[in-house]
């Protein structure tokens, strides 16, 4: 899976992506737009950030139709009491874990990768 931990903290905020520099993702829901970006960029845009998340990118090229990848890393993280929010792109999966548990998450994912 080759997990890579990104250096900066991310946040999830409800608002408009306009004014957010370098938004990583936007999700449009009936209740509003969720913007995922570095916490500093969200705060500069005046959006409220409730918690800080670490972004871990799985460098393995995964198909959107692949079966089992999300279940295996979610199980590995769950076995260590780590919640995960996943955003899948066309090339990689990006896992957001609580900032304080980022190193534990990396150990769990690296262990899973070696199996």
């Amino acid at each position: 899976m080759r997990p890579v931990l990104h250096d900066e903290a991310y946040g999830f905020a409800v608002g408009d992506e306009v004014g957010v520099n370098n938004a990583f993702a936007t999700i449009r829901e009936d209740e509003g737009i969720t913007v995922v970006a570095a916490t500093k960029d969200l705060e500069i845009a005046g959006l409220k950030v409730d918690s800080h998340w670490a972004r871990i990118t799985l460098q393995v090229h995964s198909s959107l139709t692949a079966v089992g990848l999300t279940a295996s890393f979610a199980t590995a993280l769950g076995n260590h009491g780590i919640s995960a929010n996943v955003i899948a792109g066309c090339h990689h999966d990006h896992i957001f874990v609580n900032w304080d548990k980022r190193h534990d998450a990396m150990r769990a994912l690296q262990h899973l990768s070696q199996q």
Side-chain angles (χ1 to χ4, degrees):
M1 292 188 304
R2 297 190 319 270
V4 173
L5 176 63
H6 297 266
D7 292 334
E8 60 188 335
Y10 282 75
F12 289 68
V14 176
D16 191 340
E17 71 270 25
V18 175
V20 177
N21 289 330
N22 303 313
F24 177 75
T26 56
I27 300 109
R28 296 180 189 286
E29 300 176 287
D30 291 342
E31 298 85 358
I33 299 172
T34 299
V35 182
V36 182
T39 55
K40 64 178 173 64
D41 292 329
L42 292 170
E43 289 167 352
I44 288 169
L47 296 176
K48 181 180 177 192
V49 178
D50 288 333
S51 56
H52 297 267
W53 299 87
R55 178 178 147 212
I56 299 172
T57 298
L58 303 182
Q59 291 297 313
V60 64
H61 180 83
S62 61
S63 167
L64 291 172
T65 60
V67 175
L69 178 62
T70 302
S72 43
F73 66 69
T75 298
L77 293 171
N79 288 340
H80 288 86
I82 301 169
S83 66
N85 294 292
V86 183
I87 297 175
C90 288
H91 301 287
H92 303 286
D93 289 297
H94 306 273
I95 307 167
F96 291 85
V97 299
N98 183 282
W99 182 256
D100 293 336
K101 296 196 175 198
R102 66 192 184 279
H103 298 297
D104 294 334
M106 282 296 293
R107 281 189 287 277
L109 294 171
Q110 288 165 341
H111 182 261
L112 178 63
S113 294
Q114 295 168 355
Q115 294 180 339

